[in-house]
Amino acid sequence: MKIVVIGGTGLIGSKTVAKLTAQGHEAVAASPNSGVNTLTGEGLADALAGADVVVDVSNSPSFADDAVMDFFTTSTRNVLAAEKDAGVKHHVALSVVGTQRLSDSGYFRAKVAQEKLIEESDVPYSIVHATQFFEFVKSIADSATDGSTVRLAPVKIQPMAAEDVATAVAEATVGEPLNGVGEVAGPEQFTLDGLIRQGLAARNDPREVVADPDATYFGAHLSDAELVPGDGATLFDTRFEDWLRTSAR
């Protein structure tokens, strides 16, 4: 199959392209670097010509409320319209576990809007909801840092490795369209503050992590189970401790 991966040069996209290529598919990475701009539509028609499946793992360059909403709605409309013209048979999108529950956050409101556009389109689709990536421990800490203190809510989280996220996306890509959402997660639950504390300690980061029930997560106030998947989620095997040891090498 010819598979176009929007955002195919990023963390998840590059891994997904590699996995699909190894399976014998023609996987094409599409990004501004390759002349494909989903916000303007530039290069989309040429990139999608002859494509069987389009995978969208792109992300907004800005998390500001208006900018992130514009990115996800404009780019998704442009991609879906180009898919319809090209006769694409399957649209796969990566999103986040808990998206519908985190409406305080402009980022998650934008992801909800993106998913609504996908669901209402004429293109068969699969949406992969993944939990937070191990690779984002530092960026989560940075977003919650005040001086030398990191304030995070002591709520449940069940993170996973980016490599496993890419595997889930690749599996959805070669499967039949779900016309719905599938959840994926790692094998272990932590508290959010505990996860970040462990991750920073492994890197000898001296910041103090404080459990603060009132702390926000990218603008959203959290209750205990908003970041964990439901009972039917597919769980992958990579443990955080093992990932930390491997990444340290």
Side-chain angles (χ1 to χ4, degrees):
M1 289 193 295
K2 178 180 178 180
I3 302 164
V4 177
V5 182
I6 307 294
T9 58
L11 173 64
I12 302 301
S14 59
K15 294 177 183 294
T16 302
V17 167
K19 290 177 185 294
L20 293 169
T21 300
Q23 294 174 24
H25 300 289
E26 180 189 355
V28 180
S31 69
N33 291 337
S34 66
V36 179
N37 189 320
T38 56
L39 275 176
T40 65
E42 177 188 0
L44 264 178
D46 289 341
L48 269 56
D52 300 289
V53 184
V54 171
V55 179
D56 187 357
V57 293
S58 62
N59 207 356
S60 175
S62 169
F63 282 14
D65 286 2
D66 290 344
V68 73
M69 181 63 77
D70 179 62
F71 176 83
F72 281 120
T73 55
T74 301
S75 62
T76 300
R77 285 190 185 99
N78 287 338
V79 170
L80 291 170
E83 288 176 359
K84 188 174 181 180
D85 290 342
V88 171
K89 301 177 182 65
H90 189 184
H91 177 97
V92 179
L94 178 62
S95 193
V96 188
V97 164
T99 289
Q100 282 73 16
R101 302 189 290 264
L102 299 172
S103 59
D104 287 353
S105 164
Y107 181 86
F108 290 106
R109 288 195 299 272
K111 293 298 288 184
V112 168
Q114 178 192 31
E115 292 184 27
K116 188 171 187 291
L117 289 169
I118 294 167
E119 291 162 357
E120 292 176 348
S121 77
D122 295 328
V123 181
Y125 70 91
S126 299
I127 297 173
V128 178
H129 273 192
T131 53
Q132 191 55 267
F133 311 161
F134 297 156
E135 284 79 358
F136 289 166
V137 162
K138 184 179 182 299
S139 62
I140 293 171
D142 291 347
S143 73
T145 295
D146 180 11
S148 61
T149 302
V150 183
R151 296 188 178 279
L152 292 162
V155 298
K156 294 176 184 175
I157 190 169
Q158 194 167 336
M160 63 189 299
E163 192 72 34
D164 292 339
V165 177
T167 296
V169 171
E171 288 175 351
T173 300
V174 300
E176 292 296 318
L178 296 175
N179 292 316
V181 175
E183 290 189 322
V184 295
E188 306 166 287
Q189 286 191 1
F190 302 81
T191 60
L192 179 57
D193 62 306
L195 173 74
I196 304 306
R197 189 177 294 110
Q198 183 178 343
L200 295 184
R203 288 167 169 73
N204 298 313
D205 189 314
R207 285 177 286 180
E208 179 187 12
V209 179
V210 174
D212 180 355
D214 295 323
T216 60
Y217 178 76
F218 297 103
H221 288 89
L222 299 173
S223 61
D224 190 49
E226 287 175 328
L227 300 180
V228 296
D231 292 338
T234 299
L235 304 184
F236 286 80
D237 293 335
T238 307
R239 298 169 64 248
F240 186 49
E241 182 180 358
D242 296 334
W243 178 86
L244 282 173
R245 187 162 49 247
T246 301
S247 63
R249 290 202 298 267

